[in-house]
């Protein structure tokens, strides 16, 4: 299945090709639990359009696809986008497109400048959290809700506070101990427009 450039990760019975230098959830034992929580939040709303920002190799997109009409995945790592497309195709997903580039630029060009909206945004940024221009673009797109997956509660709290200033309320936080016996933790936050 894999080649020199890729490795295979299996989550909930589905195989994902991931670039050797690309990001994937570190704790495969709990990744399914993380996916279940994200799916539960997505399924609890009627979602036509969803943006999966920092989508990596398409992990969440593949599992969220049955609950939404259209997914736009955005990822800066070119190889990850290539594999996201392959993973979606292998899973028979027809309602997801994956765009390669900087999240901020794509949100600006594809959504903000065209006035295109999204019902939901899923964020799974690196430890540094979201850059302010990304958050500003999200505010402009005005999703009804945001799911924010983070491995750094400090930057997540900073970003949630920023979004709160623009009318988003934090509805729930679920910690998932993806890094046992360390001080690190993964947190799934759910924000809703007031």
């Amino acid at each position: 299945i894999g080649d020199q450039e890729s490795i295979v990760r299996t989550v909930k019975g589905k195989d994902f090709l991931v670039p050797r230098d690309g990001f994937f959830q570190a704790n495969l034992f709990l990744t399914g639990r993380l996916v279940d929580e994200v799916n539960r939040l997505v399924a609890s709303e009627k979602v036509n359009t969803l943006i999966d920002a920092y989508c990596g190799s398409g992990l969440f997109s593949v599992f969220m696809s049955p609950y939404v009409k259209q997914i736009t995945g955005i990822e800066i790592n070119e190889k990850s986008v290539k594999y996201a497309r392959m993973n979606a195709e292998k899973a028979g997903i027809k309602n997801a497109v994956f765009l390669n580039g900087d999240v901020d630029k794509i949100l600006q060009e594809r959504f903000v400048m065209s006035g295109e909206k999204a019902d939901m945004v899923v964020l799974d940024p690196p430890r540094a959290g979201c850059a302010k221009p990304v958050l500003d673009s999200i505010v402009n797109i005005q999703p009804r809700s945001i799911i924010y997956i983070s491995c750094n509660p400090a930057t997540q709290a900073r970003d949630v506070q920023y979004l709160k200033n623009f009318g988003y309320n934090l509805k729930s936080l679920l910690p998932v101990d993806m890094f046992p016996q360390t001080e690190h933790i993964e947190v799934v936050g759910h924000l809703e427009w007031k």
Side-chain angles (χ1 to χ4, degrees), residues 25 126 169:
Q25 295 295 337
N169 286 333

Side-chain angles (χ1 to χ4, degrees), residues 83-131:
Y83 291 128
R85 291 175 181 145
M86 291 165 67
N87 291 331
E89 189 178 340
K90 185 171 182 236
I93 307 298
K94 303 265 191 274
N95 62 339
V97 294
F98 296 97
L99 306 176
N100 175 229
D102 181 64
V103 170
D104 168 43
K105 283 193 179 82
I106 291 178
L107 288 176
Q108 267 298 318
E109 292 163 11
R110 176 78 190 261
F111 293 92
V112 175
M113 289 164 71
S114 72
E116 193 176 331
K117 301 291 181 197
D119 298 317
M120 181 178 279
V121 173
V122 174
L123 297 166
D124 188 6
R127 289 190 64 74
C130 296

Side-chain angles (χ1 to χ4, degrees), residues 46-52 70 72 107 111 115-122 138 140-146 168:
K46 186 176 183 335
V47 180
N48 288 318
T49 52
L50 183 145
I51 297 169
D52 184 5
Q70 181 64 44
T72 302
L107 288 176
F111 293 92
E116 193 176 331
K117 301 291 181 197
D119 298 317
M120 181 178 279
V121 173
V122 174
I138 291 167
N140 279 311
I141 293 165
Q142 286 189 316
R144 280 194 320 270
S145 64
I146 300 166
Y168 285 92

Side-chain angles (χ1 to χ4, degrees), residues 5-6 12 20 44 64 106 113 127 148 156 166 181:
E5 289 188 341
S6 67
K12 296 175 70 69
R20 285 191 185 280
S44 71
M64 293 184 298
I106 291 178
M113 289 164 71
R127 289 190 64 74
Y148 191 138
Q156 183 185 40
F166 293 95
Q181 298 171 5

Side-chain angles (χ1 to χ4, degrees), residues 23-27 30 127 150-153 176-187:
F23 173 81
F24 201 79
Q25 295 295 337
N27 183 333
L30 283 174
R127 289 190 64 74
S150 176
C151 61
N152 186 343
V176 182
D177 194 7
M178 298 287 278
F179 316 98
Q181 298 171 5
T182 74
E183 74 274 15
H184 299 293
I185 193 154
E186 196 89 4
V187 181

Side-chain angles (χ1 to χ4, degrees), residues 8-20:
V8 177
R9 295 284 183 240
T10 304
V11 178
K12 296 175 70 69
K14 290 188 193 302
D15 289 337
F16 288 84
L17 276 175
V18 183
R20 285 191 185 280

